[in-house]
Amino acid sequence: MLLCRCRAPIASLDCMEEFSAGSGLSALAERDSTITKERLLLSGLTHSAPAAPMQLSRQTSITPGLRYKNLGKSGLRVSNIGLATWSTFSSGVTEEQAEQIIVLAVDSGINVFDLSEAYSGPRAEIELGRILTRRAWKRSSYIVTTKIYWSTRSDERGLSRKHIIESVKSSLTRLQLSYIDVVIVHKSDPMCPMEEIVRAMHYCISQGWAMYWGTARWSPVEVMEAYTNCRQFNCVTPIVEQTEYHMFCREKTELYMPELYNKIGVGLMAWSPVSIGMPQGKEDATAQLFARASFRNKYSSFSWTEDETVNKESYSWMKDRIQPEESRRQTERIRELNALAERLGCTLSQLIIAWCLKNESVQCLLLGATTVDQLYESIQSLQLVPKLNTNMMTEIERILENKPTRPPMISTLALR
């Protein structure tokens, strides 16, 4: 009699992670009651490698709600929350406190560490490099993203090939790493040819200094132009765009980033003033921060002459755009969101983080903290995501009244 073997369908990676988490917890309970053969086997196998028991204990403490997704359409798997070290390595945080925050992130399952020279200078790369060296974590277990930042007021102007290569090599020295996982170009340079930028990034990847590259604060048109040049000159294409996303900054993320992902495979790494820890847990500071953030121009482009011209007119746009009526309406929205957060038993910051994670286009949301307690509170927002059902999201939309919509298509034939 012939027996037919039918292979079971392969489960998704998210389900496999949940299954491994549950099996790890059940195995932990069995080991507490009796010594099994499996434990004896593990102890015998890990006797020569003292680091293995630490890795086993980390894998059993799975953070509820933590998921791993592909960044863009690449094979790089990132946690759905990452650690933005912009505030972690600020002047008010000691190196010991920063290390405690990094350790909590790793123990919670976070594998993305984002750096930015624009906000914390070279200190962040130097201190993170020291921590990673002391801890001696396996290099394949974490992902480091750093930015190529250029300022029009410094000698390092623009995104020339010289500046890009020098920045990558300097970051490698400060981080004490053999390679950087993702190098992100912070802000596009209209004065530099796009061909030179993409060829320089391709060269860095070809040399083994970086594995991938991406962009930050680029418009959808600029990202598409970079992709087109990469295809034309046979260069490695960008895999991620890092952009601001929160309840009062939605147009780019919700309207254009899904299209870029479907067409050219560019993923989304998001951040917000609240998620990176700027208000430091204070609700009144959160309200003030959003009140200012909602009036910023998200698509302003800078040339050298515009950025270097400093006069009173440079800041007049803020006064012109902030109207008393709009400011009052903004305050009312924050007050209603705060009341909704109290009903859900969370803080306003946790509600905002969970709302951002509800968007499937966000593959990694960057969190920041200046204390261990602040990061722990932000991580707990993962458990709030399932509570944001359809009715709750509808109520939030009613409060915000700012759901972005595309402008209607206008046919040129109708104008004739």
Side-chain angles (χ1 to χ4, degrees):
M1 180 178 180
L2 295 178
L3 296 178
C4 295
R5 288 187 177 182
C6 297
R7 297 187 63 180
I10 299 176
S12 65
L13 291 176
D14 290 341
C15 295
M16 293 175 67
E17 290 161 3
E18 294 177 355
F19 177 77
S20 61
S23 61
L25 292 176
S26 61
L28 182 62
E30 292 178 1
R31 284 197 296 266
D32 291 338
S33 60
T34 181
I35 300 178
T36 61
K37 294 181 180 179
E38 288 80 0
R39 181 177 180 182
L40 292 175
L41 180 59
L42 284 175
S43 62
L45 291 174
T46 59
H47 179 70
S48 60
M54 182 183 299
Q55 294 178 359
L56 286 174
S57 62
R58 271 216 312 265
Q59 291 175 359
T60 54
S61 57
I62 299 297
T63 302
L66 190 72
R67 296 290 182 268
Y68 296 88
K69 301 180 178 180
N70 287 57
L71 189 58
K73 291 188 178 179
S74 70
L76 188 64
R77 298 278 290 177
V78 297
S79 52
N80 57 351
I81 55 174
L83 181 63
T85 60
W86 312 340
S87 56
T88 303
F89 294 106
S90 59
S91 57
V93 182
T94 63
E95 189 171 351
E96 291 77 16
Q97 292 173 335
E99 184 169 357
Q100 293 175 1
I101 295 173
I102 298 294
V103 171
L104 174 61
V106 173
D107 291 341
S108 301
I110 296 175
N111 68 346
V112 177
F113 300 100
D114 182 72
L115 302 160
S116 177
E117 187 181 358
Y119 303 101
S120 53
R123 180 197 170 192
E125 292 181 337
I126 294 173
E127 292 195 5
L128 180 62
R130 291 173 182 170
I131 294 172
L132 295 177
T133 302
R134 281 197 302 267
R135 292 286 170 173
W137 288 314
K138 194 176 180 181
R139 183 61 183 91
S140 59
S141 65
Y142 58 86
I143 296 168
V144 176
T145 66
T146 189
K147 295 182 178 63
I148 298 176
Y149 174 74
W150 59 276
S151 173
T152 59
R153 297 187 179 92
S154 66
D155 295 333
E156 299 174 341
R157 289 188 173 190
L159 293 176
S160 64
R161 178 185 178 90
K162 170 183 172 62
H163 177 49
I164 289 176
I165 294 176
E166 288 177 348
S167 296
V168 173
K169 295 176 72 173
S170 299
S171 295
L172 287 172
T173 302
R174 290 190 289 261
L175 287 166
Q176 304 178 47
L177 297 176
S178 58
Y179 67 90
I180 300 170
D181 297 275
V182 185
V183 174
I184 295 178
V185 182
H186 182 88
K187 195 172 65 173
S188 179
D189 181 12
M191 306 298 292
C192 183
M194 187 64 70
E195 178 185 354
E196 181 175 351
I197 298 174
V198 300
R199 284 187 181 274
M201 296 307 303
H202 179 78
Y203 175 79
C204 293
I205 295 176
S206 300
Q207 294 297 313
W209 301 334
M211 296 296 164
Y212 305 90
W213 76 283
T215 58
R217 289 184 59 191
W218 286 38
S219 68
V221 175
E222 291 168 338
V223 175
M224 184 63 75
E225 182 185 359
Y227 176 83
T228 304
N229 277 263
C230 288
R231 287 303 187 193
Q232 180 179 355
F233 302 110
N234 197 25
C235 297
V236 179
T237 59
I239 67 167
V240 64
E241 159 68 10
Q242 193 177 107
T243 186
E244 182 178 358
Y245 178 56
H246 51 76
M247 291 180 174
F248 300 97
C249 177
R250 306 174 57 180
E251 182 177 357
K252 178 181 176 181
T253 300
E254 297 184 10
L255 294 185
Y256 302 106
M257 290 310 301
E259 183 178 0
L260 287 178
Y261 173 78
N262 293 326
K263 288 185 176 180
I264 62 177
V266 174
L268 173 61
M269 187 178 290
W271 65 274
S272 74
V274 173
S275 69
I276 63 174
M278 285 185 178
Q280 298 185 3
K282 300 177 181 178
E283 302 302 331
D284 55 344
T286 303
Q288 295 175 8
L289 202 61
F290 271 139
R292 293 196 301 269
S294 61
F295 294 104
R296 288 210 304 257
N297 187 2
K298 304 301 176 184
Y299 294 99
S300 59
S301 60
F302 301 93
S303 66
W304 291 349
T305 54
E306 292 173 346
D307 199 17
E308 289 174 344
T309 303
V310 181
N311 51 35
K312 295 182 180 179
E313 296 179 358
S314 301
Y315 306 97
S316 61
W317 65 271
M318 178 68 75
K319 298 178 182 178
D320 296 337
R321 294 187 66 183
I322 299 180
Q323 303 296 331
E325 179 64 23
E326 183 65 25
S327 179
R328 183 186 61 82
R329 192 180 310 156
Q330 194 82 341
T331 304
E332 292 177 356
R333 291 170 181 169
I334 296 293
R335 190 180 299 112
E336 291 186 47
L337 290 172
N338 200 6
L340 180 61
E342 292 179 358
R343 283 169 44 194
L344 292 172
C346 64
T347 64
L348 178 58
S349 300
Q350 289 178 327
L351 176 61
I352 294 168
I353 294 173
W355 181 87
C356 294
L357 291 170
K358 194 70 176 178
N359 189 344
E360 293 295 333
S361 299
V362 178
Q363 290 152 359
C364 181
L365 178 66
L366 297 176
L367 306 178
T370 55
T371 63
V372 173
D373 294 337
Q374 187 179 3
L375 178 60
Y376 180 79
E377 179 182 322
S378 298
I379 293 176
Q380 299 307 307
S381 305
L382 292 169
Q383 304 182 37
L384 185 64
V385 176
K387 296 182 181 180
L388 299 182
N389 51 28
T390 305
N391 295 333
M392 195 63 63
M393 295 297 290
T394 303
E395 185 172 355
I396 293 176
E397 290 293 349
R398 180 191 60 80
I399 295 174
L400 296 177
E401 296 179 338
N402 64 350
K403 187 175 180 63
T405 56
R406 286 183 177 271
M409 299 293 294
I410 299 178
S411 175
T412 55
L413 299 176
L415 300 177
R416 294 180 179 179

